[in-house]
Amino acid sequence: SSHAPPHATAMTTVTIDRDALVVSILHACKHPSSSVCGLFVGSGPSNITRAVPLVHTLPQLALPLQPAIETSVAEIEAAAQQVVGMYCTDDISGIHACHWRTFLRLSDNFPSARLFLLEAEEMGKRAFPFTVYARSGEVQSKITDFDAKIADTDAVSLAISTLLKNGRVQRVVDYEDVLEGSDADWPLAVAEYLVE
């Protein structure tokens, strides 16, 4: 389904932790032919400290995304953190309709949340391979002047290439993997495999 054309909104600056960026990109690398989705979490709306991988198939085709979000949000709030946004990989035409609907429900509870669209063709080309959207009513509103502050972009690139080379990308576990029998301590296990 199509959405109204995105339009520009004001600039937003967000600081993103290296590990959060690495986890979100590796989640997409682990499932290159699927549509991954996860949450960005932080101490405030302009500070992303970690990524929580949720699913790697579209919600209408597999499990409902809502239980994954409810489980992770409860854990996030218990840790005095908040949802800064939702990340997902792109569809041929941009944001998949079911990801947008999920984001609308999420942003009802977290009004400052943003949708971070991970564009596969930009991975390896840009340090922050996301296009960022806010909601304007029910419509996608592209943030055209988004500024991501990454502490060490070289460390991000090195971590991603090392973990892919070593096959450690398989340690990125999402909610769907847990339902399929993984014994990992989701959502807390995702950062344990990262290189220093």
Side-chain angles (χ1 to χ4, degrees):
S1 78
S2 64
H3 301 288
H7 55 279
T9 63
M11 185 187 92
T12 303
T13 301
V14 169
T15 301
I16 182 163
D17 183 78
R18 177 202 70 170
D19 291 357
L21 187 56
V22 169
V23 167
S24 63
I25 292 172
L26 288 179
H27 190 203
C29 291
K30 181 179 178 182
H31 304 287
S33 59
S34 300
S35 184
V36 303
C37 176
L39 299 177
F40 279 138
V41 178
S43 56
S46 60
N47 181 26
I48 296 171
T49 55
R50 74 182 172 121
V52 179
L54 293 177
V55 296
H56 56 267
T57 53
L58 291 172
Q60 84 237 26
L61 302 176
L63 78 162
L65 192 49
Q66 208 55 38
I69 290 176
E70 288 169 7
T71 302
S72 53
V73 166
E75 185 268 335
I76 289 161
E77 290 177 337
Q81 301 275 292
Q82 71 180 61
V83 175
V84 179
M86 182 179 112
Y87 71 84
C88 60
T89 48
D90 56 344
D91 189 30
I92 294 168
S93 58
I95 302 169
H96 196 283
C98 66
H99 286 316
W100 183 249
R101 285 191 302 272
T102 301
F103 174 69
L104 289 176
R105 287 194 303 273
L106 184 70
S107 62
D108 284 342
N109 296 320
F110 299 94
S112 63
R114 300 288 180 255
L115 187 138
F116 296 80
L117 181 66
L118 177 57
E119 299 179 80
E121 70 277 2
E122 295 299 320
M123 287 197 304
K125 296 179 187 173
R126 292 189 338 219
F128 189 75
F130 294 87
T131 301
V132 184
Y133 294 84
R135 71 182 287 182
S136 178
E138 303 295 304
V139 178
Q140 296 170 14
S141 180
K142 184 176 182 179
I143 301 173
T144 56
D145 202 6
F146 187 84
D147 184 21
K149 305 270 188 216
I150 306 164
D152 188 345
T153 55
D154 290 340
V156 170
S157 298
L158 177 63
I160 291 169
S161 63
T162 302
L163 293 166
L164 286 172
K165 204 179 306 174
N166 295 345
R168 296 177 80 186
V169 69
Q170 295 308 314
R171 296 192 193 174
V172 177
V173 175
D174 62 25
Y175 183 78
E176 216 169 334
D177 293 322
V178 173
L179 292 183
E180 292 168 0
S182 169
D183 60 357
D185 185 19
W186 180 90
L188 300 175
V190 290
E192 293 175 0
Y193 59 85
L194 292 174
V195 293
E196 287 301 319

mmCIF file with all atom_site columns, all heavy atoms in Angstrom, residues 102-116:
data_model
loop_
_atom_site.group_PDB
_atom_site.id
_atom_site.type_symbol
_atom_site.label_atom_id
_atom_site.label_alt_id
_atom_site.label_comp_id
_atom_site.label_asym_id
_atom_site.label_entity_id
_atom_site.label_seq_id
_atom_site.pdbx_PDB_ins_code
_atom_site.Cartn_x
_atom_site.Cartn_y
_atom_site.Cartn_z
_atom_site.occupancy
_atom_site.B_iso_or_equiv
_atom_site.pdbx_formal_charge
_atom_site.auth_seq_id
_atom_site.auth_comp_id
_atom_site.auth_asym_id
_atom_site.auth_atom_id
_atom_site.pdbx_PDB_model_num
ATOM 1   N N   . THR A 1 102 ? 2.934  -0.534 12.695 1.00 0.00 ? 102 THR A N   1
ATOM 2   C CA  . THR A 1 102 ? 3.542  -0.852 13.992 1.00 0.00 ? 102 THR A CA  1
ATOM 3   C C   . THR A 1 102 ? 4.141  0.392  14.616 1.00 0.00 ? 102 THR A C   1
ATOM 4   O O   . THR A 1 102 ? 3.980  0.650  15.814 1.00 0.00 ? 102 THR A O   1
ATOM 5   C CB  . THR A 1 102 ? 4.626  -1.942 13.824 1.00 0.00 ? 102 THR A CB  1
ATOM 6   O OG1 . THR A 1 102 ? 4.017  -3.105 13.268 1.00 0.00 ? 102 THR A OG1 1
ATOM 7   C CG2 . THR A 1 102 ? 5.279  -2.277 15.147 1.00 0.00 ? 102 THR A CG2 1
ATOM 8   N N   . PHE A 1 103 ? 4.831  1.199  13.796 1.00 0.00 ? 103 PHE A N   1
ATOM 9   C CA  . PHE A 1 103 ? 5.430  2.425  14.296 1.00 0.00 ? 103 PHE A CA  1
ATOM 10  C C   . PHE A 1 103 ? 4.363  3.406  14.794 1.00 0.00 ? 103 PHE A C   1
ATOM 11  O O   . PHE A 1 103 ? 4.542  4.054  15.820 1.00 0.00 ? 103 PHE A O   1
ATOM 12  C CB  . PHE A 1 103 ? 6.297  3.089  13.221 1.00 0.00 ? 103 PHE A CB  1
ATOM 13  C CG  . PHE A 1 103 ? 6.816  4.437  13.645 1.00 0.00 ? 103 PHE A CG  1
ATOM 14  C CD1 . PHE A 1 103 ? 7.764  4.540  14.648 1.00 0.00 ? 103 PHE A CD1 1
ATOM 15  C CD2 . PHE A 1 103 ? 6.332  5.594  13.067 1.00 0.00 ? 103 PHE A CD2 1
ATOM 16  C CE1 . PHE A 1 103 ? 8.235  5.771  15.062 1.00 0.00 ? 103 PHE A CE1 1
ATOM 17  C CE2 . PHE A 1 103 ? 6.792  6.838  13.465 1.00 0.00 ? 103 PHE A CE2 1
ATOM 18  C CZ  . PHE A 1 103 ? 7.744  6.931  14.465 1.00 0.00 ? 103 PHE A CZ  1
ATOM 19  N N   . LEU A 1 104 ? 3.244  3.494  14.101 1.00 0.00 ? 104 LEU A N   1
ATOM 20  C CA  . LEU A 1 104 ? 2.166  4.384  14.549 1.00 0.00 ? 104 LEU A CA  1
ATOM 21  C C   . LEU A 1 104 ? 1.680  3.983  15.940 1.00 0.00 ? 104 LEU A C   1
ATOM 22  O O   . LEU A 1 104 ? 1.487  4.828  16.811 1.00 0.00 ? 104 LEU A O   1
ATOM 23  C CB  . LEU A 1 104 ? 1.002  4.383  13.549 1.00 0.00 ? 104 LEU A CB  1
ATOM 24  C CG  . LEU A 1 104 ? 1.245  5.064  12.209 1.00 0.00 ? 104 LEU A CG  1
ATOM 25  C CD1 . LEU A 1 104 ? 0.026  4.894  11.297 1.00 0.00 ? 104 LEU A CD1 1
ATOM 26  C CD2 . LEU A 1 104 ? 1.590  6.537  12.384 1.00 0.00 ? 104 LEU A CD2 1
ATOM 27  N N   . ARG A 1 105 ? 1.498  2.663  16.155 1.00 0.00 ? 105 ARG A N   1
ATOM 28  C CA  . ARG A 1 105 ? 1.067  2.192  17.480 1.00 0.00 ? 105 ARG A CA  1
ATOM 29  C C   . ARG A 1 105 ? 2.132  2.486  18.533 1.00 0.00 ? 105 ARG A C   1
ATOM 30  O O   . ARG A 1 105 ? 1.825  2.914  19.644 1.00 0.00 ? 105 ARG A O   1
ATOM 31  C CB  . ARG A 1 105 ? 0.752  0.695  17.448 1.00 0.00 ? 105 ARG A CB  1
ATOM 32  C CG  . ARG A 1 105 ? -0.543 0.351  16.720 1.00 0.00 ? 105 ARG A CG  1
ATOM 33  C CD  . ARG A 1 105 ? -0.995 -1.073 16.987 1.00 0.00 ? 105 ARG A CD  1
ATOM 34  N NE  . ARG A 1 105 ? -0.019 -2.081 16.638 1.00 0.00 ? 105 ARG A NE  1
ATOM 35  C CZ  . ARG A 1 105 ? 0.115  -2.625 15.431 1.00 0.00 ? 105 ARG A CZ  1
ATOM 36  N NH1 . ARG A 1 105 ? -0.668 -2.245 14.445 1.00 0.00 ? 105 ARG A NH1 1
ATOM 37  N NH2 . ARG A 1 105 ? 1.021  -3.544 15.207 1.00 0.00 ? 105 ARG A NH2 1
ATOM 38  N N   . LEU A 1 106 ? 3.389  2.269  18.171 1.00 0.00 ? 106 LEU A N   1
ATOM 39  C CA  . LEU A 1 106 ? 4.489  2.523  19.103 1.00 0.00 ? 106 LEU A CA  1
ATOM 40  C C   . LEU A 1 106 ? 4.569  4.005  19.459 1.00 0.00 ? 106 LEU A C   1
ATOM 41  O O   . LEU A 1 106 ? 4.729  4.373  20.624 1.00 0.00 ? 106 LEU A O   1
ATOM 42  C CB  . LEU A 1 106 ? 5.808  2.059  18.477 1.00 0.00 ? 106 LEU A CB  1
ATOM 43  C CG  . LEU A 1 106 ? 7.053  2.154  19.344 1.00 0.00 ? 106 LEU A CG  1
ATOM 44  C CD1 . LEU A 1 106 ? 6.993  1.120  20.466 1.00 0.00 ? 106 LEU A CD1 1
ATOM 45  C CD2 . LEU A 1 106 ? 8.301  1.955  18.511 1.00 0.00 ? 106 LEU A CD2 1
ATOM 46  N N   . SER A 1 107 ? 4.424  4.868  18.470 1.00 0.00 ? 107 SER A N   1
ATOM 47  C CA  . SER A 1 107 ? 4.555  6.305  18.721 1.00 0.00 ? 107 SER A CA  1
ATOM 48  C C   . SER A 1 107 ? 3.348  6.881  19.462 1.00 0.00 ? 107 SER A C   1
ATOM 49  O O   . SER A 1 107 ? 3.421  7.992  19.985 1.00 0.00 ? 107 SER A O   1
ATOM 50  C CB  . SER A 1 107 ? 4.821  7.072  17.423 1.00 0.00 ? 107 SER A CB  1
ATOM 51  O OG  . SER A 1 107 ? 3.757  6.926  16.528 1.00 0.00 ? 107 SER A OG  1
ATOM 52  N N   . ASP A 1 108 ? 2.245  6.132  19.528 1.00 0.00 ? 108 ASP A N   1
ATOM 53  C CA  . ASP A 1 108 ? 1.140  6.554  20.402 1.00 0.00 ? 108 ASP A CA  1
ATOM 54  C C   . ASP A 1 108 ? 1.609  6.581  21.856 1.00 0.00 ? 108 ASP A C   1
ATOM 55  O O   . ASP A 1 108 ? 1.192  7.439  22.635 1.00 0.00 ? 108 ASP A O   1
ATOM 56  C CB  . ASP A 1 108 ? -0.051 5.595  20.271 1.00 0.00 ? 108 ASP A CB  1
ATOM 57  C CG  . ASP A 1 108 ? -0.834 5.810  18.973 1.00 0.00 ? 108 ASP A CG  1
ATOM 58  O OD1 . ASP A 1 108 ? -0.689 6.882  18.345 1.00 0.00 ? 108 ASP A OD1 1
ATOM 59  O OD2 . ASP A 1 108 ? -1.568 4.885  18.585 1.00 0.00 ? 108 ASP A OD2 1
ATOM 60  N N   . ASN A 1 109 ? 2.470  5.621  22.225 1.00 0.00 ? 109 ASN A N   1
ATOM 61  C CA  . ASN A 1 109 ? 2.998  5.535  23.594 1.00 0.00 ? 109 ASN A CA  1
ATOM 62  C C   . ASN A 1 109 ? 4.302  6.294  23.780 1.00 0.00 ? 109 ASN A C   1
ATOM 63  O O   . ASN A 1 109 ? 4.646  6.670  24.899 1.00 0.00 ? 109 ASN A O   1
ATOM 64  C CB  . ASN A 1 109 ? 3.205  4.074  23.987 1.00 0.00 ? 109 ASN A CB  1
ATOM 65  C CG  . ASN A 1 109 ? 1.903  3.310  24.043 1.00 0.00 ? 109 ASN A CG  1
ATOM 66  O OD1 . ASN A 1 109 ? 0.895  3.830  24.502 1.00 0.00 ? 109 ASN A OD1 1
ATOM 67  N ND2 . ASN A 1 109 ? 1.905  2.089  23.554 1.00 0.00 ? 109 ASN A ND2 1
ATOM 68  N N   . PHE A 1 110 ? 5.046  6.479  22.682 1.00 0.00 ? 110 PHE A N   1
ATOM 69  C CA  . PHE A 1 110 ? 6.331  7.193  22.728 1.00 0.00 ? 110 PHE A CA  1
ATOM 70  C C   . PHE A 1 110 ? 6.309  8.274  21.647 1.00 0.00 ? 110 PHE A C   1
ATOM 71  O O   . PHE A 1 110 ? 6.853  8.090  20.556 1.00 0.00 ? 110 PHE A O   1
ATOM 72  C CB  . PHE A 1 110 ? 7.495  6.224  22.502 1.00 0.00 ? 110 PHE A CB  1
ATOM 73  C CG  . PHE A 1 110 ? 7.584  5.141  23.538 1.00 0.00 ? 110 PHE A CG  1
ATOM 74  C CD1 . PHE A 1 110 ? 6.991  3.904  23.313 1.00 0.00 ? 110 PHE A CD1 1
ATOM 75  C CD2 . PHE A 1 110 ? 8.231  5.350  24.740 1.00 0.00 ? 110 PHE A CD2 1
ATOM 76  C CE1 . PHE A 1 110 ? 7.056  2.900  24.266 1.00 0.00 ? 110 PHE A CE1 1
ATOM 77  C CE2 . PHE A 1 110 ? 8.301  4.356  25.698 1.00 0.00 ? 110 PHE A CE2 1
ATOM 78  C CZ  . PHE A 1 110 ? 7.707  3.129  25.468 1.00 0.00 ? 110 PHE A CZ  1
ATOM 79  N N   . PRO A 1 111 ? 5.675  9.424  21.936 1.00 0.00 ? 111 PRO A N   1
ATOM 80  C CA  . PRO A 1 111 ? 5.437  10.450 20.902 1.00 0.00 ? 111 PRO A CA  1
ATOM 81  C C   . PRO A 1 111 ? 6.699  11.010 20.249 1.00 0.00 ? 111 PRO A C   1
ATOM 82  O O   . PRO A 1 111 ? 6.654  11.443 19.105 1.00 0.00 ? 111 PRO A O   1
ATOM 83  C CB  . PRO A 1 111 ? 4.687  11.557 21.649 1.00 0.00 ? 111 PRO A CB  1
ATOM 84  C CG  . PRO A 1 111 ? 4.135  10.908 22.863 1.00 0.00 ? 111 PRO A CG  1
ATOM 85  C CD  . PRO A 1 111 ? 5.064  9.785  23.209 1.00 0.00 ? 111 PRO A CD  1
ATOM 86  N N   . SER A 1 112 ? 7.827  10.978 20.945 1.00 0.00 ? 112 SER A N   1
ATOM 87  C CA  . SER A 1 112 ? 9.043  11.516 20.331 1.00 0.00 ? 112 SER A CA  1
ATOM 88  C C   . SER A 1 112 ? 9.812  10.466 19.521 1.00 0.00 ? 112 SER A C   1
ATOM 89  O O   . SER A 1 112 ? 10.864 10.766 18.954 1.00 0.00 ? 112 SER A O   1
ATOM 90  C CB  . SER A 1 112 ? 9.963  12.112 21.406 1.00 0.00 ? 112 SER A CB  1
ATOM 91  O OG  . SER A 1 112 ? 10.394 11.104 22.297 1.00 0.00 ? 112 SER A OG  1
ATOM 92  N N   . ALA A 1 113 ? 9.291  9.241  19.463 1.00 0.00 ? 113 ALA A N   1
ATOM 93  C CA  . ALA A 1 113 ? 9.977  8.165  18.732 1.00 0.00 ? 113 ALA A CA  1
ATOM 94  C C   . ALA A 1 113 ? 10.055 8.483  17.238 1.00 0.00 ? 113 ALA A C   1
ATOM 95  O O   . ALA A 1 113 ? 9.198  9.166  16.682 1.00 0.00 ? 113 ALA A O   1
ATOM 96  C CB  . ALA A 1 113 ? 9.251  6.839  18.944 1.00 0.00 ? 113 ALA A CB  1
ATOM 97  N N   . ARG A 1 114 ? 11.109 7.982  16.619 1.00 0.00 ? 114 ARG A N   1
ATOM 98  C CA  . ARG A 1 114 ? 11.324 8.134  15.179 1.00 0.00 ? 114 ARG A CA  1
ATOM 99  C C   . ARG A 1 114 ? 11.429 6.755  14.545 1.00 0.00 ? 114 ARG A C   1
ATOM 100 O O   . ARG A 1 114 ? 11.781 5.782  15.209 1.00 0.00 ? 114 ARG A O   1
ATOM 101 C CB  . ARG A 1 114 ? 12.622 8.908  14.900 1.00 0.00 ? 114 ARG A CB  1
ATOM 102 C CG  . ARG A 1 114 ? 12.651 10.301 15.492 1.00 0.00 ? 114 ARG A CG  1
ATOM 103 C CD  . ARG A 1 114 ? 11.718 11.230 14.720 1.00 0.00 ? 114 ARG A CD  1
ATOM 104 N NE  . ARG A 1 114 ? 11.720 12.580 15.243 1.00 0.00 ? 114 ARG A NE  1
ATOM 105 C CZ  . ARG A 1 114 ? 10.757 13.103 15.965 1.00 0.00 ? 114 ARG A CZ  1
ATOM 106 N NH1 . ARG A 1 114 ? 9.708  12.366 16.313 1.00 0.00 ? 114 ARG A NH1 1
ATOM 107 N NH2 . ARG A 1 114 ? 10.795 14.351 16.352 1.00 0.00 ? 114 ARG A NH2 1
ATOM 108 N N   . LEU A 1 115 ? 11.137 6.672  13.264 1.00 0.00 ? 115 LEU A N   1
ATOM 109 C CA  . LEU A 1 115 ? 11.337 5.435  12.517 1.00 0.00 ? 115 LEU A CA  1
ATOM 110 C C   . LEU A 1 115 ? 12.646 5.565  11.738 1.00 0.00 ? 115 LEU A C   1
ATOM 111 O O   . LEU A 1 115 ? 12.823 6.521  10.989 1.00 0.00 ? 115 LEU A O   1
ATOM 112 C CB  . LEU A 1 115 ? 10.176 5.147  11.567 1.00 0.00 ? 115 LEU A CB  1
ATOM 113 C CG  . LEU A 1 115 ? 10.284 3.762  10.910 1.00 0.00 ? 115 LEU A CG  1
ATOM 114 C CD1 . LEU A 1 115 ? 8.925  3.095  10.876 1.00 0.00 ? 115 LEU A CD1 1
ATOM 115 C CD2 . LEU A 1 115 ? 10.867 3.858  9.529  1.00 0.00 ? 115 LEU A CD2 1
ATOM 116 N N   . PHE A 1 116 ? 13.546 4.605  11.938 1.00 0.00 ? 116 PHE A N   1
ATOM 117 C CA  . PHE A 1 116 ? 14.854 4.595  11.288 1.00 0.00 ? 116 PHE A CA  1
ATOM 118 C C   . PHE A 1 116 ? 14.835 3.517  10.210 1.00 0.00 ? 116 PHE A C   1
ATOM 119 O O   . PHE A 1 116 ? 14.837 2.326  10.522 1.00 0.00 ? 116 PHE A O   1
ATOM 120 C CB  . PHE A 1 116 ? 15.950 4.296  12.315 1.00 0.00 ? 116 PHE A CB  1
ATOM 121 C CG  . PHE A 1 116 ? 16.093 5.355  13.379 1.00 0.00 ? 116 PHE A CG  1
ATOM 122 C CD1 . PHE A 1 116 ? 15.223 5.407  14.459 1.00 0.00 ? 116 PHE A CD1 1
ATOM 123 C CD2 . PHE A 1 116 ? 17.100 6.302  13.294 1.00 0.00 ? 116 PHE A CD2 1
ATOM 124 C CE1 . PHE A 1 116 ? 15.356 6.377  15.446 1.00 0.00 ? 116 PHE A CE1 1
ATOM 125 C CE2 . PHE A 1 116 ? 17.238 7.287  14.275 1.00 0.00 ? 116 PHE A CE2 1
ATOM 126 C CZ  . PHE A 1 116 ? 16.367 7.329  15.343 1.00 0.00 ? 116 PHE A CZ  1
#
